[in-house]
Amino acid sequence: MLDNKTILITGAGGLIGRTVVKACLAQNARVIASDLDLSKLEHLLLQDGIDTQHHKLQLTTLDLQQADSIFAILNQYQPDGAVNCSYPRNKDYGKHFFEVSLQSFNDNVSLNLGSAFLFMQQCAAYFKQQPREFSLVNLSSVYGVVAPRFDIYNNTAMTMPVEYAAIKSALIHLSKYAAAYIADSRFRVNLVSPGGISDKQPESFLQAYRTNTLGKGMLDAADITGAIMFLLSDHARFTNGQNIVVDDGFTLGG
């Protein structure tokens, strides 16, 4: 699906990022895998069985808080598309609602939504400089679409962070904003909103979550790559400003 395409992946060292790297390589794309820490990125990719010496894979550092760095990497590699898999956050991220300070809330929104905005802005600026087909895929969440189901967190220390809900819902509208602002069918901004991704959560949570789906329960990261590959490909040439929810029916109940 991605023959002759170059795809930039940010946050490539994350659980979803590594899976997207693998999927893009399988679809014959040239992949630019970026993250803050190059040695850690290489280690994590190797751990996932990805050949870091693959002739179509390039590893690089990228700070999504720096507009010049983003624009430079876009000009250097001239990608046909990008997937933003990054999720920057501070050390206080994930506290329960009444424990979240305003400073921490603002900090996480600034770090995460702010960097997503900057990346979209710079991708758009790159497109305006070199107008040719470009597909940007952002990752939102079911919790950017529906209210949290707090009951599934009962009997665990987990919660659904309030910052996450604010960031992911805003990201959906921000993506639509960017697509509408550029107003050129060659520049596409779409989203994939996954349900929960399995990552060693407590068994009680996994069971409670599964009862809200059609049978799969928590998804594997690989379960969402098909939608991402579609949006990056020419099959989605006139799909713009859309949010594809991949959740095994989690949002059907609300």
Side-chain angles (χ1 to χ4, degrees):
M1 289 175 76
L2 303 180
D3 278 348
N4 303 314
K5 291 188 183 296
T6 297
I7 306 298
L8 170 63
I9 300 167
T10 69
L15 178 61
I16 292 177
R18 300 192 304 270
T19 309
V20 173
V21 168
K22 190 180 294 186
C24 285
L25 288 172
Q27 293 299 326
N28 208 31
R30 179 186 179 218
V31 176
I32 313 302
S34 69
D35 217 311
L36 279 171
D37 187 328
L38 194 59
S39 61
K40 185 178 179 182
L41 171 61
E42 183 170 16
H43 172 74
L44 289 166
L45 291 174
L46 285 168
Q47 205 172 53
D48 264 23
I50 298 169
D51 178 11
T52 56
Q53 301 302 312
H54 193 290
H55 70 286
K56 286 203 166 187
L57 177 61
Q58 176 71 48
L59 308 188
T60 187
T61 57
L62 177 59
D63 184 352
L64 290 179
Q65 300 287 316
Q66 302 293 328
D68 290 348
S69 297
I70 298 169
F71 197 70
I73 208 168
L74 289 166
N75 275 289
Q76 179 180 353
Y77 293 107
Q78 303 203 345
D80 303 285
V83 188
N84 188 355
C85 300
S86 67
Y87 197 80
R89 53 202 179 274
N90 70 17
K91 61 181 177 58
D92 293 323
Y93 173 83
K95 290 186 175 182
H96 286 252
F97 183 67
F98 288 118
E99 298 169 353
V100 178
S101 70
L102 178 62
Q103 180 179 346
S104 178
F105 180 88
N106 288 344
D107 189 31
N108 277 306
V109 171
S110 175
L111 276 170
N112 200 309
L113 189 62
S115 64
F117 152 73
L118 192 62
F119 189 64
M120 271 187 271
Q121 181 196 62
Q122 295 306 305
C123 285
Y126 163 73
F127 169 78
K128 295 294 278 187
Q129 177 184 278
Q130 301 184 49
R132 60 188 182 88
E133 300 227 354
F134 187 91
S135 174
L136 171 59
V137 180
N138 287 317
L139 289 174
S140 181
S141 164
V142 289
Y143 286 144
V145 179
V146 297
R149 293 186 182 152
F150 290 106
D151 59 307
I152 66 176
Y153 299 95
N154 290 343
N155 304 314
T156 78
M158 301 164 60
T159 188
M160 213 301 288
V162 63
E163 309 97 316
Y164 187 86
I167 290 161
K168 293 303 189 181
S169 57
L171 183 59
I172 293 173
H173 202 74
L174 196 59
S175 299
K176 292 175 181 287
Y177 179 103
Y181 187 87
I182 298 304
D184 188 317
S185 60
R186 294 171 296 176
F187 182 77
R188 309 198 309 275
V189 187
N190 293 290
L191 309 101
V192 172
S193 284
I197 302 294
S198 182
D199 189 21
K200 302 174 184 173
Q201 291 91 346
E203 186 58 35
S204 61
F205 171 78
L206 296 176
Q207 289 179 7
Y209 187 95
R210 190 176 297 114
T211 63
N212 287 278
T213 68
L214 302 179
K216 167 76 176 184
M218 297 287 281
L219 303 174
D220 299 312
D223 292 331
I224 68 169
T225 57
I228 295 171
M229 297 305 106
F230 164 71
L231 290 172
L232 290 171
S233 78
D234 290 343
H235 295 294
R237 183 165 282 166
F238 301 109
T239 303
N240 213 344
Q242 300 304 305
N243 179 35
I244 300 179
V245 178
V246 183
D247 69 347
D248 192 37
F250 186 83
T251 55
L252 289 176

